[in-house]
Amino acid sequence: MTTSTSPQAGTRIHTIAVVGYGSQGRAHALNLRDSGYDVVVGLRPGGPTEARAQADGFVVKPPAEAVRDADLVAVLVPDMVQKKLYEEVLAPNMKQGACLLFAHGLNIHYGMITPREDLDVVLVAPKGPGALVRREYEIGRGVPCIWAVHQDRSGHAEQFALDYAAGLGGARANLIRTTFREETETDLFGEQAVLCGGASSLVQAGFEVLVEAGYQPEIAYYEVLHELKLIVDLFYEGGITRMLEFVSETAQYGDYVSGPRVIDASVKQRMKEVLKDIQDGTFTRNWIAEYEAGLPNYKRYRQADLDHPIEKVGRELRAKMVWLQQQSADQPQSQRTAAA
Ligand code: NAD
Ligand code: MG
């Protein structure tokens, strides 16, 4: 456990209310407390993460009470509940001139939340999951953060964002200024086109091609899913340069001639269409409608992913990989071990 220190000299922030205690909320609350701030956690009484916040030694209050005396309120509940939380709880209870902070710009950028005129409104988004934000802080390092100012009523909004990012440990790594628009649109594009959507569809398609051609599903799994981690680790450590250093000449030649056949100009064109839907608000409008309708398509899509044959063969194969056995329900192994 890191010992408490005084907050950044000259900061105007003393009390921080962290609303939500999930992936980001827990990491932010713990790091800010260890950086010397008074942190109070706002949660619905009896909610799923209340016991965890109490076990970590926090004073937990209903959100309306938690935010009342706070100089800064960090909104770390799921994006789709932020509008209701803001309108019903934060707007009527936050003190005059306080700072409202987000870790993702979605609700501000698309106009779901129009903050009170007297508030400063800032963004601090760590470029990593909460478990890594906590772990890096504990070992004296930090996860890079991007930050932005949407509304500066006090004249100190920039400093509030920088103090908060430093309190998370981000200043030990790298802080990059952005805008709510840039953070929101690039974050959505990354997860849709490349990280979550692009990568999982690429893996499923590769698996299907091999299995439909008569190869064993077990071998297809190792080829297109399991080994992807080795490649991504090399990207992470040293970019595509490092991957090319570690694969064979045959793999490199195949990469050069076949990669662009699969991810060709038409894929790039459709990525541009995905980006356009993000930029003009189509994606977010559809997502809000889906959420308000009770997630009918979301549940169907999710079930299709869970039922894909690669999941069944994967479960059987992973049971035989002993190093994967200490999995925790709420924390991926890659985020508990080294910064993978
Ligand atoms: P999460 O789902 O892990 O946790 C949400 C928390 O909010 C939980 O404590 C939950 O009990 C609580 N909660 C849910 N509904 C609530 C309500 N109505 N009132 C009060 N509390 C409620 O969320 P997360 O992934 O940490 O995301 C929080 C924010 O951080 C989002 O804006 C997200 O976009 C952003 N973000 C997340 C990540 C990430 O790696 N998960 C990275 C960067 C930014
Ligand atoms: Mg995202």
Side-chain angles (χ1 to χ4, degrees):
M1 177 52 99
T2 319
T3 47
S4 287
T5 52
S6 297
Q8 286 72 23
T11 184
R12 290 160 202 271
I13 308 168
H14 297 285
T15 304
I16 296 177
V18 171
V19 185
Y21 204 73
S23 172
Q24 292 293 324
R26 179 169 191 264
H28 291 214
L30 290 167
N31 291 7
L32 293 163
R33 181 173 69 185
D34 288 344
S35 292
Y37 293 102
D38 279 336
V39 176
V40 48
V41 174
L43 286 172
R44 296 162 296 178
T49 48
E50 185 185 22
R52 191 157 195 210
Q54 284 163 343
D56 289 334
F58 284 106
V59 175
V60 181
K61 297 180 179 175
E65 279 175 47
V67 305
R68 212 160 274 154
D69 299 318
D71 304 309
L72 183 149
V73 174
V75 182
L76 299 174
V77 301
D79 296 310
M80 284 297 123
V81 311
Q82 291 181 5
K83 177 182 168 67
K84 192 165 185 280
L85 177 83
Y86 176 77
E87 287 171 358
E88 293 177 4
V89 179
L90 306 186
N93 290 293
M94 280 178 68
K95 72 180 184 186
Q96 282 286 310
C99 183
L100 182 64
L101 178 140
F102 294 87
H104 180 37
L106 189 87
N107 281 273
I108 294 290
H109 178 58
Y110 292 107
M112 277 100 79
I113 294 176
T114 306
R116 260 173 29 198
E117 281 293 318
D118 60 288
L119 301 174
D120 287 346
V121 181
V122 303
L123 169 87
V124 174
K127 290 285 98 186
L132 188 65
V133 171
R134 178 57 182 161
R135 190 188 156 75
E136 285 295 290
Y137 183 93
E138 285 184 296
I139 57 180
R141 302 189 302 215
V143 168
C145 293
I146 65 176
W147 65 277
V149 173
H150 172 70
Q151 187 166 294
D152 183 6
R153 289 294 172 264
S154 70
H156 304 294
E158 177 171 335
Q159 200 53 49
F160 292 153
L162 289 170
D163 287 349
Y164 188 96
L168 292 186
R172 299 165 177 170
N174 192 17
L175 303 181
I176 299 177
R177 185 166 197 158
T178 184
T179 59
F180 274 64
R181 170 172 182 254
E182 182 177 58
E183 185 279 334
T184 303
E185 293 176 354
T186 56
D187 188 77
L188 292 173
F189 178 79
E191 66 201 15
Q192 292 177 27
V194 179
L195 305 175
C196 309
S200 58
S201 292
L202 184 70
V203 165
Q204 288 169 338
F207 178 84
E208 289 167 13
V209 166
L210 288 176
V211 172
E212 286 165 17
Y215 298 103
Q216 297 178 66
E218 292 78 6
I219 291 181
Y221 175 88
Y222 282 127
E223 256 336 299
V224 305
L225 188 150
H226 180 80
E227 290 200 37
L228 186 59
K229 172 169 169 50
L230 312 175
I231 298 301
V232 170
D233 284 352
L234 293 168
F235 285 176
Y236 186 83
E237 289 166 16
I240 290 168
T241 304
R242 188 159 171 84
M243 186 273 284
L244 295 174
E245 281 164 19
F246 279 81
V247 302
S248 68
E249 287 170 339
T250 309
Q252 283 186 59
Y253 178 70
D255 166 339
Y256 304 142
V257 298
S258 299
R261 289 174 69 192
V262 175
I263 308 295
D264 64 5
S266 75
V267 173
K268 193 168 159 191
Q269 181 52 40
R270 287 192 298 281
M271 284 187 173
K272 288 183 179 177
E273 290 163 19
V274 166
L275 181 61
K276 186 180 148 295
D277 280 357
I278 291 167
Q279 289 171 329
D280 69 15
T282 303
F283 169 79
T284 300
R285 261 194 311 282
N286 290 345
W287 172 218
I288 293 169
E290 173 71 15
Y291 188 84
E292 287 176 350
L295 302 171
N297 297 301
Y298 173 101
K299 286 177 186 159
R300 196 159 44 76
Y301 296 143
R302 183 178 159 83
Q303 199 54 51
D305 266 355
L306 301 180
D307 291 342
H308 192 282
I310 199 171
E311 297 309 299
K312 180 168 175 292
V313 68
R315 269 191 301 278
E316 291 162 9
L317 293 175
R318 288 190 299 271
K320 296 181 184 128
M321 294 188 247
V322 283
W323 65 91
L324 292 176
Q325 295 315 305
Q326 312 127 329
Q327 299 210 30
S328 142
D330 64 347
Q331 211 172 0
Q333 186 176 55
S334 58
Q335 290 154 30
R336 283 182 287 128
T337 55

